[in-house]
Amino acid sequence: MVERFLKLSSMISGILLTKPNAPDMLTGRELNDLKGICALLHPLENLTTKMSGEKYAVISTVIPLLNCVKSATESIIVESDICIDLQKNILSEIHRRFKDIEKFNDFPLATLLDPRFKNVHFKNPVNCHAAIDRIKNMLQLQLPQPSNLEDQASTSHAEQVDLNNGKKDNFDLWAYHSEIATSQIQRRTQPISQEIYEYLQKPVVPVNSNPLEVWEVHKTMYPNLYTIANEKLSIIATSVPSERLFSKAGATISKSRNRLIALQQ
């Protein structure tokens, strides 16, 4: 609205001069204030547009976009008192509302699992390590259950003991193999949490990439992390898609259309 008024200000001033009862036109200082206000509101408008998507991952962009908005707002040079106060208020409100976003629900997890951002935008190292620990715990839950090799090994060992006692005469030559195979499985299942560290060591991908498509490429390298990423990146961070759905339904099922079926009959 402000941008539109600034673009039309030269024409509006000429029209108002021809109307005796028209309100006073803004002064040059007030127009400069509007330009500063428009510049300060532009990052918030861009943030709202990007956060209102429904065909791409949204939740992982919340923390990076907030940092970008704060950086863009701080870099704007303003001179008038009203613009200085507005700039301070925007930054203080962002801090008040989103100061704990790095440890709130799934936002930090989704940001870490987005190949475009990873741990780049975390301001607090403690919150970053806490999110990594949460992912490590989720990876541990995906560990396969102990296989039957342990049971086989224990059974073979018991049979061998019984053989020495003269109670059983069958001998399992694969008992030793079962024991070392079981220990190998146990050793291999421990470093499953290393997937997150190997993933974070890789450089981030371009910001215009689709994170879900990137994970389709990386799923063979990080199969367990891929499962968690698909779960977290699919979360919608806003209610905009549902509101759009209701708007479309309201435009379709309107008073002018509620008798269409009856008219057809």
Side-chain angles (χ1 to χ4, degrees):
M1 181 182 64
V2 176
E3 282 180 345
R4 191 68 176 171
F5 181 82
L6 290 173
K7 290 179 181 179
L8 300 176
S9 59
S10 58
M11 292 178 282
I12 293 175
S13 61
I15 296 173
L16 293 180
L17 290 175
T18 62
K19 304 294 183 181
N21 298 326
D24 295 334
M25 180 59 184
L26 299 182
T27 63
R29 178 175 295 180
E30 291 172 336
L31 287 176
N32 286 332
D33 289 343
L34 275 183
K35 292 179 181 178
I37 292 172
C38 186
L40 290 171
L41 294 179
H42 185 68
L44 296 177
E45 180 201 19
N46 205 310
L47 170 66
T48 304
T49 302
K50 293 185 181 301
M51 287 300 304
S52 301
E54 57 181 324
K55 295 184 179 179
Y56 51 87
V58 176
I59 188 172
S60 60
T61 63
V62 174
I63 295 177
L65 283 176
L66 286 174
N67 291 332
C68 293
V69 167
K70 288 190 289 186
S71 176
T73 304
E74 292 172 346
S75 63
I76 297 175
I77 300 176
V78 292
E79 298 178 354
S80 63
D81 293 338
I82 187 173
C83 293
I84 293 175
D85 291 339
L86 178 60
Q87 186 180 43
K88 292 179 180 179
N89 289 335
I90 291 175
L91 294 174
S92 64
E93 285 297 316
I94 290 177
H95 175 73
R96 183 180 69 86
R97 296 170 184 269
F98 303 104
K99 61 181 179 180
D100 296 328
I101 193 68
E102 290 185 357
K103 52 184 179 181
F104 184 73
N105 290 344
D106 291 327
F107 288 96
L109 304 185
T111 304
L112 280 174
L113 295 174
D114 194 319
R116 301 171 297 175
F117 310 121
K118 297 186 179 180
N119 57 350
V120 173
H121 286 275
F122 280 83
K123 299 297 184 182
N124 191 332
V126 176
N127 295 333
C128 182
H129 286 297
I132 293 176
D133 289 340
R134 288 177 60 188
I135 295 178
K136 289 170 58 178
N137 293 334
M138 297 174 69
L139 288 173
Q140 292 296 330
L141 293 177
Q142 295 187 7
L143 285 174
Q145 297 296 326
S147 63
N148 295 329
L149 292 178
E150 296 181 359
D151 299 335
Q152 294 176 3
S154 60
T155 303
S156 300
H157 181 70
E159 290 178 354
Q160 187 174 6
V161 172
D162 291 341
L163 178 62
N164 295 332
N165 294 333
K167 297 179 181 180
K168 207 171 186 65
D169 56 354
N170 64 341
F171 173 75
D172 186 9
L173 189 60
W174 292 110
Y176 173 73
H177 168 74
S178 300
E179 293 179 3
I180 61 175
T182 302
S183 62
Q184 183 187 30
I185 292 177
Q186 293 176 348
R187 289 196 304 268
R188 292 187 62 184
T189 54
Q190 292 301 323
I192 187 174
S193 59
Q194 293 297 323
E195 281 191 24
I196 182 65
Y197 295 109
E198 295 176 3
Y199 158 76
L200 292 176
Q201 289 176 355
K202 302 291 183 181
V204 296
V205 299
V207 71
N208 57 351
S209 304
N210 187 332
L212 297 178
E213 294 179 356
V214 175
W215 270 111
E216 288 298 325
V217 178
H218 291 167
K219 66 180 180 180
T220 55
M221 299 172 57
Y222 316 109
N224 301 287
L225 208 59
Y226 165 80
T227 304
I228 302 176
N230 274 344
E231 175 186 347
K232 298 303 179 183
L233 293 179
S234 61
I235 300 175
I236 302 297
T238 65
S239 61
V240 174
S242 60
E243 293 172 0
R244 287 175 180 159
L245 181 61
F246 280 105
S247 299
K248 293 177 181 177
T252 303
I253 308 174
S254 60
K255 291 183 179 180
S256 60
R257 295 189 176 190
N258 62 356
R259 302 289 295 174
L260 288 178
I261 298 179
L263 290 176
Q264 290 176 357
Q265 294 176 351

